[in-house]
Amino acid sequence: MPTLTPALTFLWGCVLLFLLFFYLGTTDHRGKKLSGTILTVLMSIFCVWAFMGLGIKKGIDIGGGSSFTVQLKPGLDDKGAPKPITKNSLEQAIAILEKRLNPNGENDLLMTPQGEDRIHIEMPGVKEDDKDAVRKKIEEVAQLELRIVHPDSEREIEKIKTNGGVAIGYVEMPHKEIGKKDKGKVDSLLVKSRADLAGKHVSRAIAKLDPQEGWVIGLYLDSEGSKTFDEIAARHRGDRMAIVLDGVVISDPVLKSDHYGGYAQISGGANGFKQEEAIALATALENPLENPMVIIESSEGSAAFGAKTVEQAIYTGIVGTVLIALFMLIYYRLAGVVALCGVVVNLLMIFGAMALFKITLTMPGIAGIALTVGMGVDANVLIYERLREEMRAGKSLATGLATAFEKAFAAIFDVHVTTLITSLILFSLASGLVKGFAVTLIVGIFGTLFGALIVTRVVFGWFIDTHKLDNVKFAQFIPTGNYDVLKYAKPFIIGSFALAFVSLAGFVYKPNHGIGIDFRGGAKTQFAIAANEVVTPTDAETALKNAGLKTGTFYVQENTTATGRQISVRSELDDKDRVKSTLENAFVGKLTGGSTDTVGSVVGSELAQRSIIAFVVAMVAILIYLSFFYEFSFALGAIIALFHDCIIVVGLSVLMGQELSIIHIGAVLTVAGYSINDTIIVFDRIREMIKAKGGTGNIRDIMNEAISITLSRTLLTSLTALMPMVALYIFGGPSMKEFSLPILIGIIVGTYSSIYIASPLVLWYAKKTGKSLHRQVLDNAERAAAIKPTATA
């Protein structure tokens, strides 16, 4: 298979885009069917090509990787005095390293404070050729300064070297380029002893390609820096300005103007910058370190969750997928085969895009994939349940299918747009594992839409046009009828919110028993594995479990360093002595030199704050979207139900003996996705029925009828979502149980909250405020119709 080069990727992408726009734009049935078929085939080939040729990077939690232990050194304050290392220094360094090592959020990255002045960094497999670049990103302080060069620098330096003495107000600094260009020339410059402008005034730094200079770095200064720079330029027009980075002059351009408008440009001198060098330097300049740091140890580590856990996740994931496929085939029969075609293409697109864009696959990322597969199945269920209604009304398969796609499109569109809004906000504002979840979900959303709205429609088109399919038969497990669902809303609301209160009370009563070491920090115990001896992480885990340590309160990894192999255990601080003694007694002569140190939380305070802010902003965005396209009471009901679901999921998980860890982040985000999706489907049908009745009829009766009609879809989707999670919980190891339990709880709670929590809240709020829900919904529906796209025939 030929290598997928950037040029080939670009050309293939252009072809796919052309076919997509042709498919969306044409109204000719035959042309749509042919272009859709070619698009599906080429898209599948391209994604398989990308996946097979490039592969997917595994995160450190499932594939292991490289780790670095760095030590911070005291920095200098504005007066040049040593600045002590504090907890804030460690937090600042972690935040900066996150931006340097993972600027686009595509890499899995874990950083934990260790001791008083060290940070432990874990990255997915760093190749040997890339380690120097990683070291540079970590150790480069990126202290930028602009200093005016002495007007007669070279001659003055020669004079000082010959006769001695000093140049008052100036200091000699090495130059990156001069010595390389002219061997006989002085390889330094005389620059002002105090910086004319400090790098702290750089608000933004970007790498870009200049036609004359090649790759350069554009610096955008803040208001104070802009003003100062123009004042300097006005006084020293025609003089050279030294660009000093970490005490080395990297270029010394002439100031040709007295007004730069807050923008300066750094070139790479005679040899210029390489693209990678320019991008790395721009990132470093935008994120300078307050404290220098050095790497004191590097190693290769095993998967954080262990190879056995990863294998169990793969096998149980396959079992869950097979269960979903069997259910779709039994319930929807031949239409189930068509739906599975869309799901398969969806998965191909997800893995192909992850390989193409170098997105790292992590446990939260797997949660994102599970959510998108669930959304894909949900979209097909929505279409098929609509098709069932149309066929029951006496329409032909072709006409009923077109109507089903058209009516289901509004709900599918709203579900995916709200999920996309949430994902984009999480990606923009959050970091670390939350960003990894968001990236995977963004990719999956487009795959789901393509699979459900294009692939399934094209396959159906071929079956119908060749008369291989003139009718479809579906199973009917859930009887149809008009139920007084809202009659049971009050006891559900009282019981559910009481459960949420108990969940919160559990945290207040025993806060330390609910928060795991990923959030609280703990201890790290390390042993060297003796030569010619074998001790695996699984062996160590078994010994610790036999000693009474609970799953989820410790993590075992195997590391390979320059001095040999190691076993490291991250555990509760109170358990460090038990961990050390247990492993020493269990592996006498095999493990040596046990040492223990304190480590900070994997989820640092800044990561936690940014994740919470991102989640809140996402909820506000959904509130605005639903208020605009539905009505404020719908938006309020959806958000309250979502928070209710998340609180119960977290609370019940803790009450059932779990401690919150990184793995729960992905689980809670997945539950939030399921919750809002379920609620929007119900709300869409309520809105549709209000429009169909022209704003007349009792709103409570309309809601009951809408919920009754969507009940089949709600229960079917929940059932298909539960299948892989049940498989994970039954057949998976302890880590998989820790992951699947909160999602199992969330699916069950989310299913009934969309019926018995969100909808009754809408009705209650409308009555409380005295607003006409009919009128509000109709007005917003007219506004939405003018903006939203529609399903094409």
Side-chain angles (χ1 to χ4, degrees):
M1 185 176 286
T3 305
L4 191 61
T5 62
L8 273 174
T9 302
F10 176 77
L11 289 173
W12 203 284
C14 289
V15 172
L16 292 175
L17 278 175
F18 170 78
L19 287 169
L20 177 62
F21 286 125
F22 182 86
Y23 175 87
L24 295 174
T26 185
T27 55
D28 176 62
H29 175 72
R30 187 169 179 275
K32 185 177 283 289
K33 186 177 68 174
L34 288 173
S35 61
T37 303
I38 297 169
L39 175 62
T40 300
V41 172
L42 291 183
M43 179 70 78
S44 302
I45 292 172
F46 178 67
C47 291
V48 171
W49 188 4
F51 177 72
M52 298 295 290
L54 302 174
I56 292 180
K57 293 191 296 182
K58 294 179 183 177
I60 52 177
D61 50 0
I62 61 175
S66 303
S67 63
F68 303 88
T69 301
V70 300
Q71 186 173 35
L72 269 68
K73 300 293 183 183
L76 299 176
D77 60 21
D78 294 337
K79 297 180 181 178
K83 193 161 55 175
I85 297 168
T86 64
K87 184 180 178 181
N88 287 338
S89 304
L90 286 171
E91 288 284 352
Q92 188 263 354
I94 287 174
I96 295 303
L97 288 173
E98 167 77 32
K99 293 170 185 173
R100 288 188 180 185
L101 298 173
N102 193 23
N104 300 319
E106 62 187 23
N107 293 317
D108 181 27
L109 190 66
L110 281 182
M111 290 184 284
T112 53
Q114 189 169 321
E116 295 180 353
D117 61 352
R118 280 163 290 155
I119 299 170
H120 185 69
I121 305 169
E122 294 182 68
M123 299 178 67
V126 178
K127 296 177 182 176
E128 202 63 39
D129 297 342
D130 298 332
K131 282 193 174 179
D132 287 340
V134 172
R135 285 177 177 273
K136 186 177 179 182
K137 287 179 182 178
I138 292 173
E139 295 183 329
E140 189 172 37
V141 178
Q143 192 66 49
L144 179 71
E145 296 172 330
L146 304 183
R147 301 179 185 231
I148 293 297
V149 180
H150 191 287
D152 201 9
S153 173
E154 288 78 5
R155 187 177 298 177
E156 193 68 23
I157 290 173
E158 291 285 5
K159 182 179 174 182
I160 292 170
K161 285 184 177 180
T162 304
N163 304 323
V166 294
I168 298 173
Y170 290 89
V171 64
E172 186 179 353
M173 284 190 172
H175 196 296
K176 178 185 175 185
E177 295 293 336
I178 295 178
K180 294 179 184 177
K181 287 190 295 180
D182 303 303
K183 296 294 182 184
K185 242 184 156 185
V186 175
D187 58 356
S188 57
L189 282 179
L190 209 57
V191 299
K192 281 197 173 182
S193 54
R194 293 190 65 177
D196 292 277
L197 187 67
K200 66 182 181 181
H201 294 296
V202 174
S203 60
R204 189 173 169 223
I206 58 169
K208 60 182 185 178
L209 193 61
D210 186 275
Q212 280 78 39
E213 300 283 348
W215 281 97
V216 298
I217 298 164
L219 302 178
Y220 294 88
L221 307 175
D222 59 23
S223 56
E224 184 183 346
S226 177
K227 180 183 176 184
T228 304
F229 190 66
D230 282 349
E231 289 173 354
I232 295 167
R235 290 197 306 270
H236 294 278
R237 183 171 180 173
D239 293 338
R240 286 183 292 170
M241 169 74 83
I243 312 295
V244 183
L245 182 68
D246 293 341
V248 177
V249 178
I250 60 173
S251 64
D252 53 318
V254 174
L255 293 170
K256 298 178 180 178
S257 173
D258 54 7
H259 180 72
Y260 286 85
Y263 176 79
Q265 186 168 290
I266 302 175
S267 64
N271 296 326
F273 287 125
K274 295 178 181 177
Q275 180 180 357
E276 296 80 7
E277 186 183 7
I279 293 171
L281 183 55
T283 304
L285 290 173
E286 206 170 67
N287 304 286
L289 286 168
E290 292 181 2
N291 296 85
M293 60 175 65
V294 293
I295 297 173
I296 57 175
E297 184 184 54
S298 63
S299 63
E300 300 297 317
S302 62
F305 290 114
K308 188 176 180 181
T309 298
V310 176
E311 287 177 13
Q312 288 172 335
I314 293 170
Y315 292 142
T316 51
I318 292 171
V319 170
T321 305
V322 170
L323 286 174
I324 291 174
L326 286 174
F327 175 80
M328 294 294 287
L329 292 174
I330 293 169
Y331 196 83
Y332 288 115
R333 301 172 190 178
L334 186 56
V337 176
V338 178
L340 290 177
C341 291
V343 173
V344 169
V345 174
N346 178 15
L347 285 171
L348 289 177
M349 287 182 67
I350 291 172
F351 288 113
M354 289 182 73
L356 189 64
F357 297 112
K358 299 181 174 61
I359 298 169
T360 305
L361 181 63
T362 63
M363 285 299 276
I366 291 173
I369 292 173
L371 177 56
T372 54
V373 170
M375 290 172 66
V377 172
D378 186 26
N380 281 290
V381 170
L382 272 171
I383 294 165
Y384 289 170
E385 290 303 304
R386 288 283 191 172
L387 178 59
R388 186 202 299 271
E389 294 173 26
E390 300 304 321
M391 298 285 286
R392 194 181 290 142
K395 293 183 180 179
S396 67
L397 177 59
T399 306
L401 190 66
T403 308
F405 270 99
E406 184 179 342
K407 288 186 175 180
F409 179 79
I412 293 171
F413 180 85
D414 286 333
V415 163
H416 285 77
V417 168
T418 51
T419 307
L420 184 61
I421 289 170
T422 304
S423 304
L424 290 172
I425 291 171
L426 289 175
F427 178 79
S428 302
L429 298 181
S431 57
L433 294 165
V434 177
K435 183 171 280 193
F437 172 87
V439 170
T440 310
L441 195 53
I442 289 168
V443 171
I445 287 168
F446 292 102
T448 299
L449 287 172
F450 185 85
L453 298 179
I454 296 180
V455 177
T456 55
R457 196 160 191 173
V458 166
V459 175
F460 263 122
W462 281 107
F463 275 120
I464 293 171
D465 290 350
T466 55
H467 302 290
K468 297 284 175 58
L469 190 64
D470 296 317
N471 193 13
V472 289
K473 294 182 179 179
F474 303 146
Q476 181 76 55
F477 296 161
I478 302 159
T480 57
N482 194 354
Y483 307 108
D484 189 3
V485 180
L486 295 179
K487 178 172 67 175
Y488 305 102
K490 190 173 182 180
F492 265 101
I493 289 175
I494 293 171
S496 206
F497 279 96
L499 184 59
F501 176 77
V502 170
S503 302
L504 287 174
F507 277 104
V508 176
Y509 181 61
K510 289 183 176 180
N512 290 337
H513 289 269
I515 306 297
I517 58 175
D518 286 345
F519 292 90
R520 289 189 286 110
K524 185 175 183 179
T525 306
Q526 286 185 302
F527 288 91
I529 302 175
N532 302 320
E533 296 289 350
V534 177
V535 179
T536 66
T538 304
D539 297 333
E541 283 178 13
T542 303
L544 293 171
K545 286 176 190 173
N546 292 338
L549 270 75
K550 192 171 70 171
T551 300
T553 62
F554 67 90
Y555 299 98
V556 182
Q557 279 184 283
E558 182 180 1
N559 304 305
T560 304
T561 68
T563 57
R565 293 175 299 123
Q566 293 180 338
I567 286 287
S568 65
V569 182
R570 192 160 55 89
S571 67
E572 300 279 2
L573 198 59
D574 294 340
D575 291 336
K576 63 180 181 179
D577 294 332
R578 185 153 52 136
V579 169
K580 190 170 183 291
S581 61
T582 298
L583 294 183
E584 284 175 340
N585 295 330
F587 303 102
V588 177
K590 294 184 177 182
L591 297 180
T592 60
S595 63
T596 303
D597 203 350
T598 58
V599 293
S601 62
V602 172
V603 183
S605 60
E606 181 170 338
L607 170 58
Q609 289 169 9
R610 290 179 64 183
S611 299
I612 291 170
I613 290 170
F615 188 78
V616 171
V617 172
M619 294 307 100
V620 171
I622 291 174
L623 187 77
I624 294 170
Y625 181 87
L626 293 180
S627 297
F628 188 83
F629 288 111
Y630 288 77
E631 204 273 328
F632 179 74
S633 59
F634 285 85
L636 188 65
I639 296 300
I640 292 175
L642 188 150
F643 274 106
H644 154 275
D645 296 350
C646 291
I647 289 170
I648 288 182
V649 165
V650 172
L652 283 185
S653 297
V654 171
L655 290 174
M656 293 176 76
Q658 290 194 351
E659 290 188 350
L660 298 186
S661 62
I662 282 176
I663 207 168
H664 287 86
I665 293 176
V668 170
L669 290 171
T670 304
V671 167
Y674 274 119
S675 175
I676 201 72
N677 290 355
D678 266 351
T679 304
I680 286 175
I681 298 303
V682 175
F683 284 178
D684 175 72
R685 185 56 74 103
I686 294 171
R687 178 181 61 177
E688 180 186 321
M689 295 193 69
I690 290 174
K691 287 164 60 180
K693 292 179 184 292
T696 61
N698 183 280
I699 192 69
R700 190 177 188 277
D701 293 341
I702 291 174
M703 282 188 166
N704 271 324
E705 187 178 352
I707 293 169
S708 299
I709 291 172
T710 56
L711 189 61
S712 176
R713 170 263 154 207
T714 301
L715 296 178
L716 286 174
T717 303
S718 298
L719 185 60
T720 54
L722 280 170
M723 285 177 182
M725 292 302 119
V726 170
L728 278 177
Y729 189 78
I730 294 173
F731 303 111
S735 294
M736 290 298 98
K737 281 183 169 63
E738 190 179 359
F739 175 69
S740 57
L741 178 62
I743 296 181
L744 281 171
I745 296 169
I747 292 170
I748 295 169
V749 174
T751 300
Y752 81 73
S753 75
S754 63
I755 299 170
Y756 291 112
I757 305 295
S759 299
L761 284 173
V762 173
L763 188 61
W764 169 82
Y765 183 82
K767 288 181 177 179
K768 196 76 174 174
T769 57
K771 290 182 178 180
S772 169
L773 202 59
H774 296 91
R775 188 67 261 154
Q776 294 284 335
V777 169
L778 289 173
D779 289 345
N780 286 4
E782 289 175 9
R783 184 167 54 195
I787 299 173
K788 280 188 181 180
T790 56
T792 53

